Amino acid sequence: MRAISLLSTILTLFIIFGLAFFFLAWRPEIKPRNPSENARFDDALIAKGASLAAVGNCIACHTVPGKEAFSGGLKLPTPFGNIYSTNITPDDETGIGRWGEAAFQRAMREGVDREGNHLYPAFPYEHFTRVTDEDNKALYAFLMTRTPIKATAPENELPFLLQVRPILAGWKLLFFTKGAFAPDLQKSGEWNRGAYLAEGLGHCGACHTPRNALGAEDRSRHLGGGEAEGWQAYAINAESPSPIPWDKESLAFYLRHGYHAFHGVSRGPMAEVTGNLGALPDSDTNAIAVYVASIMGEPAPERVQKAEQLKKQFVPDQDGMLTASIDENRASADLVAHPGAAIYGAACATCHESGRAAPFGGLNFNLSTAVNAANPQNIVNVVLFGLPPADGQTSAVMPGFAGALNDRQVADLLDFMRRRFTRRDAWLDLQQLVSRTRSGEYFVAVRPSEGIERAPANVGAKEAK
């Protein structure tokens, strides 16, 4: 009898917890919009939505390179498997053509689609929940006036358990805080505008914040560095590894133009971010810069002193060129015989010690964040794959050396650069990292250094303008 009673209790608790989880996870379907209901939107609202879509970099995740803008199907690798982005054109069958505004608002606010399915946090609703109803209305107007494209994304490649969408309700319970952006009344209007854009639609933390074992952002290390599509998203807080600290002016210039003389060009996924942000009003890019600079804080006096000494070696001449002194460009005696020295001299020095002005001249590696970073992944990516040209516009380019250098030679080159241009500890297991990257075992998305590549004809899809 005791066994039966215990079993009955366990079964009752199981049913109670099951019902509780069901009510926690369940979301109702929102009635589909009638295809005959041709919504009309004010031109000014659509234009505002286009600007907001640029802040959110929507085209990057929702477009496969070379295919129609916003038609989905892009593979997004995660530690748990591959997720494919959805079609967000107003196609009635495969896109969001039958989504009313209420369904769109719910997806942005709660991470739930029109049918009531929980969305994977690869769609960064942790950030989008902060967007105002008014801005969501403008985004909806913009997307619903794009060209409808019939395209169905591949099925997600995830373990069976993670394909059970209600489980995401438990993840949200642990890590998702729903709610609109709350301004800090102790800060300026410009700071709050920047915070709203960066922490909301801009979702900077989605790439620049490390994640825990369950894929949620580690809030204790906000903007402390993360990973995106095989690239390291550098820390943009006080832990930034940049040899010359960023400030409001350099951040604003970089976000506007995609490069800065003391920091180099944007590359990888960041190239598309700056490609989009370059279309925003100066007031918005300046506001983001103000906010991020405040997160970075004032650098330590010792770091400022080193940066000022470094800057003096690179005072631009009348043509804007930054040329280091002969002494700074000469390898020390103990490095002359390093196996990477000859490779550097033949493959890198001509461009990277030319003094040619940014963005078309190679950054002197004394200024390189990639060479100073704890993780060498970004410099591995650039050496192997280079910076391909952007179609239809002038852009910074660099040849890839995957076909000219073997794994050992690339590792020797990078070890030489680390030793010559920094005073930081040597990188470990470089040859293995190069091998995994070259083979594709470690996935890397290769993008032009400037512009919006994931769009028809590669740059600046007309739909995105």
Side-chain angles (χ1 to χ4, degrees), residues 12 34 71 74 85 87 91 96 103 109 130 154 171 174 197 208 250-251 267 298 311 317 342 408 425-426 437 459:
T12 300
N34 191 321
S71 61
L74 184 77
S85 64
N87 181 347
D91 180 68
I96 60 171
R109 281 264 190 253
R130 298 183 174 97
W171 186 93
L174 293 173
L197 293 173
H208 287 278
S250 57
L251 283 166
R267 57 187 184 272
E298 291 293 328
K311 282 183 180 180
D317 62 19
R408 180 69 263 164
D425 294 339
T437 305
V459 171

Side-chain angles (χ1 to χ4, degrees), residues 64-355:
V64 173
K67 293 191 176 181
E68 293 84 358
F70 305 109
S71 61
L74 184 77
K75 182 172 75 172
L76 303 170
T78 78
F80 313 102
N82 297 320
I83 293 175
Y84 290 86
S85 64
T86 55
N87 181 347
I88 56 171
T89 73
D91 180 68
D92 288 336
E93 296 180 18
T94 63
I96 60 171
R98 303 201 70 186
W99 284 41
E101 186 184 322
F104 183 80
Q105 291 273 8
R106 183 172 73 172
M108 295 289 286
R109 281 264 190 253
E110 302 179 27
V112 177
D113 70 10
R114 187 193 64 77
E115 296 177 333
N117 300 307
H118 289 275
L119 299 173
Y120 292 102
F123 177 67
Y125 48 80
E126 301 162 86
H127 294 271
F128 294 166
T129 189
R130 298 183 174 97
V131 180
T132 65
D133 289 345
E134 292 75 18
D135 281 353
N136 279 331
K137 184 186 294 289
L139 272 172
Y140 178 75
F142 171 72
L143 292 173
M144 294 300 284
T145 51
R146 300 307 90 200
T147 301
I149 303 297
K150 194 174 296 298
T152 302
E155 293 292 326
N156 294 324
E157 298 162 350
L158 297 169
F160 172 75
L161 189 61
L162 294 183
Q163 296 179 34
V164 182
R165 298 261 185 167
I167 288 178
L168 294 170
W171 186 93
K172 289 178 177 179
L173 188 64
L174 293 173
F175 304 116
F176 175 52
T177 302
K178 175 185 171 183
F181 174 77
D184 185 340
L185 300 181
Q186 302 300 314
K187 303 289 187 179
S188 69
E190 186 177 37
W191 185 96
N192 276 293
R193 176 64 177 171
Y196 171 72
L197 293 173
E199 299 293 351
L201 270 176
H203 62 282
C204 302
C207 292
H208 287 278
T209 298
R211 294 180 178 271
N212 63 24
L214 295 178
E217 293 178 28
D218 182 352
R219 302 296 184 185
S220 68
R221 297 185 59 197
H222 182 227
L223 301 180
E227 190 269 348
E229 296 187 81
W231 296 80
Q232 294 297 299
Y234 298 127
I236 52 174
N237 59 12
E239 299 174 20
S240 167
S242 174
I244 294 181
W246 291 91
D247 57 22
K248 181 188 72 174
E249 288 72 24
S250 57
L251 283 166
F253 188 94
Y254 177 82
L255 295 176
R256 163 65 59 191
H257 301 285
Y259 76 94
H260 187 270
F262 287 133
H263 299 280
V265 300
S266 60
R267 57 187 184 272
M270 190 63 197
E272 291 174 315
V273 173
T274 57
N276 270 308
L277 293 181
L280 297 183
D282 286 341
S283 58
D284 280 347
T285 50
N286 289 342
I288 295 172
V290 166
Y291 173 69
V292 175
S294 76
I295 297 297
M296 289 182 163
E298 291 293 328
E302 181 183 1
R303 189 179 178 207
V304 172
Q305 183 180 13
K306 289 181 179 179
E308 290 304 317
Q309 292 173 349
L310 188 55
K311 282 183 180 180
K312 290 177 182 178
Q313 301 165 12
F314 293 95
V315 176
D317 62 19
Q318 61 183 2
D319 296 320
M321 294 189 175
L322 298 174
T323 305
S325 68
I326 294 175
D327 289 340
E328 289 298 325
N329 276 335
R330 181 182 296 131
S332 59
D334 61 322
L335 284 177
V336 171
H338 191 289
I343 300 173
Y344 174 83
C348 310
T350 301
C351 290
H352 288 275
E353 295 185 12
S354 69

